[in-house]
């Protein structure tokens, strides 16, 4: 068989020898190799002498039966996978993006390449936690000879052929950032094949029909003539000043009907079968998906029924928990920042009712009172911090004690439990109008950002930026608006920008700006009459945020640092010195500030955006939080509400 008669190639393990990998052409020129194998039919292949579809060699005269079909290219033959995003106009519309005016390109490493059925598709651990794995049926182009700076007219000369791909996506991770490479790089997330159709059989790749079929139901269907950027344009575009070696795989985009665009939303889950069918000639790529078993995402918490109800010491109150919030600090505690012994009960955002009272507790507290508990407890009265507090504040203040305890953080069990004990000095009454669920996040997130705003010492009408809109930021926006400041909310994550826009309408920020938008700096200038912001409350640990915010301040402006950047806080010294910028650290409200905050919240109708969970659902709260799977504050409801 001469090379010129080759039209369809497969790479496979033959029934005759499970240790061999062969290249060949299916004997039946019409057989849909993937579909036939999935149905249990025998597929015969005329074996070629080569060991790669990139140089398939000549006929050996032998015929073999496929035992296991492989992706047409091995991982080692694929330098990179180039992906084209939003290349079907209906798909761009379903994910809420305008049709791109230039090809949107992302890259996948070759470790994404996965074989067709019977190889399983993989649901990555990181997308199992919130069921954010998704399917994308795509036409894949395989480059056959080195391409660089090729014109659209010549582009197809460099194409070896076409096959099917499933551009398996992890939506939470994808939408958390503007760069898609992380979310598209998980091992095995690009099943490919099985049949590579050479371009001699498909002279015009815009005349194919593509379907995505989930568990037997058609979810995606389109002609490839709907591609916004057709194959010659994509190859030419990608080759500009760029070498595309032979073996490069280009996945050309997916038509409408992906899980995230459906109502209700759909996802790829363990046990799902997804087939990508491209006709004529290419046929069907099928995988049955399985959960990746090992990975770093594990259940952080374990629900236990063998923990005794604690007994309050003389200066303690026993609280029956109704709601408990989950905070970024809980994640740090889990990772071992506090080096505390295990097992340990998390959550430092408790709200509930008093169940019993220690003998030395003042009579302001009664069984049945509705209360919240703030973070800091047990001042030792025997350290530098306590000495300072006694001299300067005139009373002990556990926030500054070197030996303090913190419920759910340091040396005290927290609120993911039916009962917890608290030092009475950290307990605060809740008004009846404030629900336990709304009260819980005030105990850390609220108290942190309320104090931070106080640290900024603003006057009514002054402009303040809240940078980083999560549990703290969303409360910070509302506190600042209700206090009469002019408020700019800044984030670079869709989830943060969405939270900022969804606060109660009477407390909406004056501006919501995307950190990554090149116009944002100009807009802040305009908003502040070119003077700059009076203050910025930086609620994020994103490394770039603090100095960026300091650059937006007016002379003598105040930056209040609340987030903890991994790389430390760094500032441009010229900006800091010449503008005499004030940088303040801020940790948490005093008890008087906490009481003021709670009254203020009730008075102004301030609301946290909550995701309410049961105790059972909370076992993987940390993993989901790490995956940024929650919009707003996760709050666990304990017992009867
Ligand atoms: Zn916290
Ligand atoms: Zn102390």
């Amino acid at each position: 068989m001469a090379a010129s008669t080759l039209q369809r190639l497969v790479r496979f393990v033959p029934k005759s020898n499970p240790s061999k990998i062969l290249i060949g052409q299916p004997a039946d020129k019409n057989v849909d190799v993937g579909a036939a194998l999935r149905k249990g039919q025998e597929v015969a292949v005329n074996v070629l002498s080569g060991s790669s579809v990139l140089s398939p060699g000549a006929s050996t005269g032998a015929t073999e039966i496929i035992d296991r079909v492989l992706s047409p290219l091995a991982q080692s033959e694929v330098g990179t996978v180039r992906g084209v995003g939003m290349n079907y106009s209906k798909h761009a519309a379903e994910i809420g993006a305008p049709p791109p005016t230039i090809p949107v390109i992302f890259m996948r490493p070759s470790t994404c390449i996965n074989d067709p059925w019977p190889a399983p598709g993989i649901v990555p651990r990181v997308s199992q936690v919130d069921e954010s794995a998704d399917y994308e049926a795509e036409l894949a182009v395989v480059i056959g000879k080195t391409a660089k700076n090729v014109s659209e007219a010549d582009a197809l000369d460099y194409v070896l052929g076409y096959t099917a791909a499933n551009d398996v996506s992890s939506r939470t991770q994808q939408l958390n950032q503007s760069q898609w490479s992380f979310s598209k790089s998980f091992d095995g997330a690009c099943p490919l094949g099985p049949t590579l159709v050479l371009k001699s059989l498909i002279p015009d790749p815009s005349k194919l029909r593509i379907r995505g079929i989930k568990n037997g139901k058609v979810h995606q269907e389109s002609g490839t003539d709907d591609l916004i950027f057709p194959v010659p344009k994509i190859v030419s575009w990608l080759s500009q000043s760029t070498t595309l070696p032979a073996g490069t795989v280009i996945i050309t985009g997916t038509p409408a009907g992906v899980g995230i665009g459906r109502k209700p939303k759909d996802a790829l889950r363990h046990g799902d079968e997804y087939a990508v069918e491209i006709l004529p000639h290419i046929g069907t790529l099928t995988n049955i998906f399985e959960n990746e078993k090992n990975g770093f995402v594990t259940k952080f918490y374990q629900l236990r029924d063998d923990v005794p109800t604690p007994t309050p010491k003389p200066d303690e109150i026993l609280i029956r928990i109704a709601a408990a919030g989950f905070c970024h600090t809980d994640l740090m505690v889990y990772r071992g920042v506090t080096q505390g012994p295990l097992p340990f009960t998390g959550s430092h955002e408790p709200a509930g009712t008093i169940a019993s009272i220690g003998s030395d507790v003042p009579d302001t507290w009664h069984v049945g009172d509705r209360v919240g508990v703030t973070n800091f407890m047990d001042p030792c009265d025997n350290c530098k911090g306590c000495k300072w507090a006694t001299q300067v504040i005139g009373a002990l203040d556990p926030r500054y004690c070197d030996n303090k305890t913190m419920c759910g953080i340091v040396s005290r069990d927290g609120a993911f439990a039916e009962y917890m004990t608290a030092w009475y000095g950290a307990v605060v009454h809740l008004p009846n109008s404030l629900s336990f669920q709304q009260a819980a996040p005030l105990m850390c997130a609220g108290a942190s950002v309320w104090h931070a705003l106080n640290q900024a010492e603003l006057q009514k009408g002054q402009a303040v930026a809240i940078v980083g809109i999560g549990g703290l930021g969303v409360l910070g926006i509302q506190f600042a608006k209700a206090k009469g400041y002019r408020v700019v909310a800044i984030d670079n994550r869709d989830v943060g920008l969405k939270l900022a826009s969804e606060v109660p309408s009477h407390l909406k920020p004056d501006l919501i700006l995307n950190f990554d938008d090149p116009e944002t700096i100009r807009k802040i200038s305009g908003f502040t009459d070119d003077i700059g912001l009076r203050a910025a409350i930086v609620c994020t640990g994103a490394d770039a945020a603090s100095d960026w915010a300091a650059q937006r301040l007016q002379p003598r402006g105040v930056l209040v640092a609340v987030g903890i950047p991994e790389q430390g806080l760094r500032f441009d010294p010229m900006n800091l010195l010449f503008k005499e910028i004030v940088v303040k650290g801020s940790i948490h409200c005093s008890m008087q500030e906490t009481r003021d905050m709670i009254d203020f919240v009730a008075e102004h109708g301030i609301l946290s955006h909550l995701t309410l969970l049961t105790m059972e659902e909370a076992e993987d709260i940390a993993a989901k939080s790490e995956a940024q799977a929650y919009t707003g504050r996760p709050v666990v409801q304990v017992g009867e509400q």
Side-chain angles (χ1 to χ4, degrees), residues 516-594:
D516 293 329
D517 179 351
E519 287 293 296
T520 286
I521 291 174
R522 194 188 55 72
K523 286 177 184 166
I524 292 174
S525 282
F527 182 69
T528 58
D529 209 12
D530 288 337
I531 289 173
L533 298 159
R534 173 62 196 163
I537 314 297
V538 182
C539 300
T540 166
D543 286 305
S546 291
D547 189 57
W548 183 91
Q551 305 272 3
R552 311 278 82 76
L553 293 176
Q554 59 184 248
R556 299 186 184 168
V558 181
L559 182 133
V560 185
V562 186
I564 302 177
E566 278 182 23
Q567 305 295 321
L569 281 170
R570 289 184 202 186
F571 294 99
D572 170 9
M574 301 309 277
N575 181 61
L576 208 71
L577 271 58
F578 279 83
K579 280 171 32 195
E580 299 189 338
I581 298 299
V582 178
V583 178
K584 284 190 174 182
S586 177
I587 184 67
H588 199 278
C589 282
S590 68
M591 290 313 291
Q592 186 55 50
E593 285 177 293
T594 304

Side-chain angles (χ1 to χ4, degrees), residues 46-92:
N46 296 325
V47 180
L48 298 164
S49 58
S51 57
S52 166
V53 295
L54 297 171
S55 53
S59 172
T60 62
T63 298
E64 293 275 6
I65 304 297
I66 294 176
D67 180 45
R68 198 154 50 82
V69 77
L70 306 172
S71 63
L73 293 135
Q75 286 186 353
S76 59
E77 296 176 281
V78 178
T80 55
V81 179
R82 307 297 170 99
V84 185
M86 300 182 292
N87 201 20
Y88 287 82
S89 52
K90 278 187 196 156
H91 173 57

Side-chain angles (χ1 to χ4, degrees), residues 326-330 348-349 375 409 443-445 448 472 633:
F326 181 85
C327 162
H328 186 72
T329 303
D330 289 303
H348 51 278
E349 292 187 336
N375 298 170
I409 301 175
M443 296 301 124
C444 173
S448 301
L472 277 73
R633 198 66 157 185

Side-chain angles (χ1 to χ4, degrees), residues 379-383 386 401-403:
C380 74
D381 199 12
N382 191 31
C383 72
C386 287
C401 173
D402 301 340
N403 305 307

Side-chain angles (χ1 to χ4, degrees), residues 380-404:
C380 74
D381 199 12
N382 191 31
C383 72
K384 283 186 217 158
C386 287
K387 191 173 168 191
W388 172 86
T390 307
Q391 286 179 9
V392 175
I393 303 177
L396 289 174
D397 188 326
R399 289 178 296 170
Y400 308 109
C401 173
D402 301 340
N403 305 307
K404 62 182 165 281

